[in-house]
Amino acid sequence: MSTATNDDASTKAKKKKSAASERPKISDAVYEAELFRLQTEFVKLQEWVRQSGARVVVVFEGRDAAGKGGAISRITEYLSPRVAHIAALPAPTDRERGQWYYQRYIAHLPAKGEIVLFDRSWYNRAGVEKVMGFCTPAEHALFLRQTPIFEQMLIDDGILLRKYWFSVSEDEQLRRFKARLNDPVRQWKLSPMDMESIYRWEDYSRAKDEMMVHTDTPVSPWFVVESEIKKHARLNMMHHLLSTIEYLEVEIPKVELPQRPVVSGNYQRPPRELSRYVDDYAATLIGS
């Protein structure tokens, strides 16, 4: 690539970042209200999935620090972990490396009445494995050829499959990495692999483009979520996902609290000193 072409690409990226940073942002009050409304709809979706026996798979992909985890957390905040499962698989074991590539992901697919959210998925092979050399060129080529067939099989079997790519600019990703460096509750999110992604930005871009060419199909399309503004990205993604599933609000059995039973008066609570109580730490904070 010529220097002029590089300069053009850099200029376009800066213009895109500038446009995103200047975009009006919704207020915190509007965000919280709409987030809760969407979360309420996800509870309705959950109950429909449970009663109808539907199976839902949502794939979250994108660059490191693009906001996938935050979106997943907001979706599942009020859902039952018995219905909505998060699949965030670690690096494969030696045994798993000897399996058919998709095998360990298949084990996490939903049964009837379940939702599974993949925080990264089988698309690891199209991204980090391809860029970092964790798979061979032949394995990568096979993945690109087999994945549309694999996903077609899931869809043919009745699974509702949705795929989201969270897009973030190079400058914004770097800003989020720097913020994590000094955040004691988020430092664990940084890894040597994340640092590599900074130096291999173009390699990841080419890998993503190649992945899209082969796996963005009419029956299993990719939906791109612009994630320069995290709060906007969450609302956009959540609203879109709900709009793609024709769920119904199902009737939930009403639960009535029973009358308190008449106390016989014969029960006596054991002496307090026989139990180990947690210290009242909160009381020490009063007035501080």
Side-chain angles (χ1 to χ4, degrees), residues 120 123-134 193 204:
R120 295 200 181 278
Y123 282 98
N124 274 340
R125 176 140 293 179
V128 64
E129 290 193 15
K130 157 74 172 175
V131 173
M132 300 303 296
F134 296 154
M193 205 67 66
Y204 273 101

Side-chain angles (χ1 to χ4, degrees), residues 48-49 54-58 154-155 158-162 245-246:
W48 174 79
V49 166
R55 291 173 292 164
V56 179
V57 170
V58 187
L154 300 182
I155 294 166
I159 288 178
L160 302 176
L161 175 63
R162 302 293 184 268
I245 301 176
E246 296 181 2

Side-chain angles (χ1 to χ4, degrees), residues 2 14 27-28 39-40 118 180 190 285:
S2 67
K14 289 179 180 178
S27 67
D28 290 344
Q39 289 173 325
T40 302
F118 278 94
R180 289 178 179 181
L190 285 176
L285 303 177

Side-chain angles (χ1 to χ4, degrees), residues 101-102 122-123 125-127 130 137-151 206-217 222:
Y101 176 70
Y102 304 90
W122 44 91
Y123 282 98
R125 176 140 293 179
K130 157 74 172 175
E139 289 172 332
H140 178 251
L142 183 62
F143 170 84
L144 295 178
R145 187 168 71 249
Q146 286 187 335
T147 295
I149 302 171
F150 171 65
E151 292 177 355
R206 294 190 186 93
K208 176 253 186 179
D209 292 343
E210 187 176 10
M211 175 195 80
M212 289 289 186
V213 167
H214 290 84
T215 63
D216 183 21
T217 64
W222 278 102

